Amino acid sequence: MAANIIDGKAIADRIRQSLKDDIQRLNAKKGIVPGLTVILVGKDPASQVYVRNKERACMEVGIRSKVIYMDQGVSQDDLLQEIYRLNQDKETHGILVQLPLPSHIDEAAVINAIDPRKDVDGFHPITVGKLFVGESGFEPCTPKGIITLIKETGQDISGKHAVIIGRSNIVGKPVSIMLLKENATVTICHSKTSNLKDVASRADILVVAMGQPEFIDDEYIKEGAIVIDVGTSRVDGKLKGDVVFDKVVHKAGWITPVPGGVGPMTITMLLKNTVQAAYQSE
Ligand code: NAP
């Protein structure tokens, strides 16, 4: 039997609808309009598209969005000064610096400059530390979207064996911690893992975040597993996941498509974090 498709687009639309209501309530109660300010350095076409998508998504739900464009050659000091200014700006509840930054700028120094109370991307070391020790704070957007999608299956995460392929700071590591918090038994795999197929095919929940297009076929899958495909690679102009969807769909119990799975959830979780920041601002 074919797997149930986890429709990230439909789930994201539903969450955005409920965010609109939250924003209206916040406005009616406290007169606050949530505000997200994005800093974009340079003219990288992919980054420009991401920033435009974020702007559009903000507008649709009623978040005030501002984009600060800076030259490719901007000095690190000027960029940091702008962040310090935004840290004090009452209309900015969330600050996001679009990555990657030009090579003359120290990415860590820039992220560290953001006030953790406005760190809606969830990349500041204080935010990461809170996630690690289980204190409340912002959860990074893609992992938060992944957990939401897994919960949408209606299956209990507690006690399940979750295997994550990938150990990046933005996906693999945080999603592992979040699954642990949900009481899954967690295994993290990476490029040096031996017997990847053996490990993956024992997973009740398999999260694939490798950036290797169509690497994972049905031999890596346990019958009935929940499979979350985070990968997005452009191959001949088409967006491909890390999973061979057409094969895996016949073995998994649930699967996310690419596009239309994790992707739409990431921006939605950014909107959610921005609304959370606005609620916590007073
Ligand atoms: P990344 O930083 O490049 O990390 C990739 C991870 O996969 C690394 O830990 C790497 O292992 C591991 N890996 C690579 N090849 C492997 C192999 N053959 N066997 C086992 N492990 C392997 O990537 P990322 O930033 O986490 O992103 C992963 C994918 O998700 C990319 O396609 C990215 O575009 C996509 N993504 C999508 C969204 C979204 O919103 N849809 C958001 C973020 C990322 P090592 O650590 O040993 O090198």
Side-chain angles (χ1 to χ4, degrees):
M1 219 174 71
N4 297 294
I5 312 294
I6 309 173
D7 185 346
K9 168 90 176 58
I11 296 164
D13 284 349
R14 209 180 61 222
I15 296 170
R16 288 182 196 198
Q17 194 53 47
S18 95
L19 280 176
K20 274 188 198 171
D21 300 340
D22 289 345
I23 292 166
Q24 276 169 11
R25 259 197 305 276
L26 180 65
N27 192 247
K29 221 163 127 191
K30 293 187 176 175
I32 294 174
V33 178
L36 174 71
T37 301
V38 177
I39 300 180
L40 174 59
V41 179
K43 289 198 160 58
D44 174 58
S47 293
Q48 284 179 327
V49 172
Y50 294 142
V51 169
R52 256 200 311 275
N53 289 344
K54 285 168 189 163
E55 238 185 327
R56 194 180 314 125
C58 281
M59 251 160 47
E60 277 167 15
V61 296
I63 291 175
R64 183 187 289 129
S65 120
K66 226 183 313 171
V67 182
I68 296 174
Y69 296 93
M70 300 188 109
D71 281 343
Q72 176 79 13
V74 68
S75 73
Q76 178 164 315
D77 203 41
D78 284 353
L79 175 54
L80 292 178
Q81 290 307 323
E82 191 58 44
I83 293 172
Y84 298 145
R85 189 186 67 75
L86 292 173
N87 284 344
Q88 303 301 324
D89 177 20
K90 285 225 167 330
E91 289 194 347
T92 295
H93 303 100
I95 302 171
L96 185 151
V97 179
Q98 185 65 45
L99 302 177
L101 290 168
S103 57
H104 67 278
I105 293 176
D106 176 1
E107 222 163 79
V110 171
I111 290 169
N112 288 359
I114 297 172
D115 183 333
R117 287 169 299 186
K118 299 190 176 189
D119 177 33
V120 287
D121 236 353
F123 293 163
H124 191 289
I126 288 182
T127 315
V128 176
K130 282 186 168 182
L131 184 75
F132 198 89
V133 297
E135 276 183 36
S136 70
F138 297 112
E139 291 170 328
C141 303
T142 301
K144 186 172 172 145
I146 292 169
I147 300 291
T148 307
L149 291 175
I150 296 171
K151 287 187 173 170
E152 280 286 328
T153 65
Q155 300 300 296
D156 202 358
I157 298 175
S158 180
K160 297 273 161 53
H161 183 202
V163 173
I164 295 91
I165 312 182
R167 56 175 164 181
S168 70
N169 288 335
I170 63 164
V171 188
K173 278 186 207 160
V175 85
S176 308
I177 298 296
M178 289 164 78
L179 281 163
L180 193 59
K181 193 174 157 206
E182 298 290 340
N183 297 318
T185 301
V186 175
T187 304
I188 307 172
C189 301
H190 44 78
S191 66
K192 307 292 185 292
T193 297
S194 32
N195 303 326
L196 183 65
K197 207 177 270 186
D198 276 4
V199 182
S201 60
R202 279 186 265 122
D204 303 307
I205 299 167
L206 183 67
V207 178
V208 190
M210 308 163 74
Q212 304 288 336
E214 301 196 317
F215 189 99
I216 300 295
D217 65 16
D218 49 346
E219 292 184 8
Y220 289 79
I221 307 297
K222 177 176 172 179
E223 195 89 40
I226 299 172
V227 179
I228 307 291
D229 187 357
V230 189
T232 46
S233 307
R234 287 252 161 227
V235 181
D236 300 329
K238 279 184 93 177
L239 207 58
K240 294 276 180 200
D242 289 342
V243 172
V244 187
F245 184 90
D246 292 343
K247 286 189 177 173
V248 173
V249 74
H250 298 295
K251 197 159 180 193
W254 290 265
I255 185 168
T256 58
V258 176
V262 174
M265 295 298 286
T266 296
I267 291 189
T268 303
M269 294 301 126
L270 173 69
L271 303 177
K272 205 167 175 179
N273 281 351
T274 304
V275 174
Q276 181 187 332
Y279 264 97
Q280 291 168 351
S281 65
E282 293 278 301

